[in-house]
Amino acid sequence: MGFSLLDFRRKWSCRGYMSAGAAMVTAALGLSLVLPERAEARKYAAPLDIFGLGTPRPRTTVHSARIPLPKPRPEEAPKASEEAPPEADGKSAPDTSNANKPAEAAPPPEKQASACRLALTEEIAVAPSIPDIRGPGACGGGDLVRLEAIVLPDKRRVAVKPAAILRCTMASAIADWVRKDMVPLAGSLGSTISDLDNFDSFECRGRNRVAGALLSEHGKANALDVRAIKLANGQSIGLTDRTMSRDIRERVLRSVCARFSTVLGPGSDWYHEDHIHLDLAQRRNDYRICQWNVWDPLPQVAPLLPAERPEEAPPREVAAKPEAGDGTDDQDTAKPAADQPAATGGKSKPAIKKRR
């Protein structure tokens, strides 16, 4: 019986079996590399892990933090429910009942009065303080008062109508002006001051009420507009009244220009033709403005209608129409003609019959 390698391969071929076995080995190796077991569950490396990819890596040990526990309470310590005994020196223990209550907001500190507020007493003016005003565009201010009346040295009061909201410094200046300058002026007229006509005081607005203008001193409560000063005898000193004596108005002009930094009246602009503006505006180098023209009195104009007939005048006689041939009218007209030459130097003029 003959035997050869070629006959063996042809009769007992295992090529197919060898190929299937090789594929199974390759798949087993791949699964061992791609899906290794969890490192926590294995103590040793995989037998087929040639490169050591599946070898478990050691991890650092996590130590738990140790929190110290409080020491045990000694047996001789008093119980928490028991109250602490009072001190030996007789001092009472502090009250801890409100210790757990939330802290209340402390009241705001009281605002200290200014030097002007301390000087403006009730013997000078009735001017209670009012809260600060904070308006738009720096409007308002602090240290404000409501000037209701000015107390004269003889304890009589000059009412400010209506009451003016001013800064304390402006109210003090108005009070000094009335007490020291206007009282002697009223005394020269044989009376005393009763009212001060307040035309305008605090108002949050621009100058002359023009839109977009700079903030007026009225908006800062630092100005007062005055129209007249009324006396106790009923007379009124109109500061812009041209029928008032020029000397009196000039005396008022000199007094206000010496006390206030701004004085505006007739002649300054057409906004101040019927009142006087007074303020204490601060300017560089203490610059002052005094623009007030004291106009002459208006000329007297003859009345358009004749004066009324006095009651004591005799009644007017209505003469009847003269009859024809009656010479009474000729005698009446000739009588003044006879007397005329003596008055005209001897020259005679024809008699003229009057019309009735």
Side-chain angles (χ1 to χ4, degrees):
M1 179 174 73
F3 181 79
S4 62
L5 181 60
L6 295 177
D7 295 336
F8 175 78
R9 288 181 176 179
R10 185 169 52 252
K11 188 175 181 179
W12 304 96
S13 177
C14 59
R15 185 179 300 174
Y17 299 102
M18 295 298 292
S19 298
M24 292 176 65
V25 172
T26 304
L29 289 174
L31 290 174
S32 64
L33 295 177
V34 176
L35 299 174
E37 295 179 359
R38 297 177 62 181
E40 295 84 353
R42 294 198 310 255
K43 295 182 180 180
Y44 305 99
L48 299 179
D49 189 3
I50 302 174
F51 300 100
L53 297 177
T55 305
R57 297 178 182 179
R59 294 186 179 183
T60 58
T61 305
V62 179
H63 299 280
S64 60
R66 295 182 179 179
I67 302 175
L69 298 177
K71 295 180 179 180
R73 185 180 182 85
E75 296 180 359
E76 62 273 9
K79 296 181 180 180
S81 59
E82 297 179 359
E83 297 181 356
E87 297 182 1
D89 55 357
K91 295 182 180 179
S92 59
D95 186 10
T96 59
S97 59
N98 298 329
N100 297 330
K101 293 183 179 180
E104 297 181 356
E110 296 183 359
K111 187 177 180 180
Q112 296 182 355
S114 63
C116 175
R117 177 67 271 184
L118 296 176
L120 192 62
T121 61
E122 295 181 355
E123 297 180 355
I124 298 176
V126 179
S129 299
I130 61 176
D132 298 348
I133 299 177
R134 302 299 178 187
C139 189
D143 197 14
L144 303 180
V145 299
R146 183 173 61 253
L147 183 61
E148 299 176 356
I150 300 169
V151 182
L152 301 181
D154 57 359
K155 304 303 180 181
R156 284 183 292 184
R157 295 185 177 184
V158 177
V160 180
K161 297 183 178 180
I165 297 178
L166 300 170
R167 295 193 180 191
C168 180
T169 52
M170 184 63 187
S172 179
I174 292 293
D176 291 343
W177 170 59
V178 172
R179 288 164 54 91
K180 298 179 181 179
D181 294 347
M182 293 298 99
V183 169
L185 177 62
S188 64
L189 299 176
S191 183
T192 184
I193 303 176
S194 61
D195 299 334
L196 182 66
D197 187 4
N198 169 27
F199 186 62
D200 191 15
S201 58
F202 170 72
E203 184 180 358
C204 189
R205 60 175 175 83
R207 294 179 181 177
N208 300 324
R209 294 185 175 87
V210 177
L214 296 177
L215 183 65
S216 172
E217 292 298 319
H218 287 282
K220 303 175 184 179
N222 198 32
L224 180 69
D225 290 345
V226 182
R227 283 190 299 189
I229 299 174
K230 297 181 180 180
L231 306 182
N233 59 3
Q235 187 180 0
S236 178
I237 302 176
L239 303 184
T240 60
D241 186 5
R242 297 180 67 175
T243 62
M244 182 59 59
S245 172
R246 181 186 177 93
D247 178 64
I248 295 177
R249 289 180 287 151
E250 287 181 347
R251 289 176 62 180
V252 178
L253 169 65
R254 289 191 295 267
S255 67
V256 294
C257 289
R259 291 184 176 275
F260 301 95
S261 60
T262 306
V263 178
L264 300 176
S268 60
D269 50 39
W270 67 276
Y271 296 101
H272 302 89
E273 294 297 322
D274 59 348
H275 66 275
I276 304 300
H277 171 91
L278 309 173
D279 68 45
L280 291 176
Q282 297 180 355
R283 301 183 183 88
R284 185 179 301 176
N285 299 327
D286 196 19
Y287 179 73
R288 292 171 173 262
I289 297 176
C290 184
Q291 297 179 356
W292 176 9
N293 293 335
V294 179
W295 305 116
D296 292 331
L298 294 174
Q300 295 183 357
V301 181
L304 300 179
L305 298 177
E308 295 182 0
R309 185 178 180 84
E311 295 180 358
E312 60 274 8
R316 295 177 181 176
E317 295 179 358
V318 180
K321 192 173 184 180
E323 298 178 358
D326 190 1
T328 56
D329 291 344
D330 296 338
Q331 293 178 1
D332 294 339
T333 56
K335 198 171 185 180
D339 299 337
Q340 190 172 3
T344 57
K347 295 182 181 180
S348 61
K349 289 185 179 180
I352 301 176
K353 188 177 181 179
K354 292 182 179 179
R355 281 178 109 181
R356 300 198 179 211

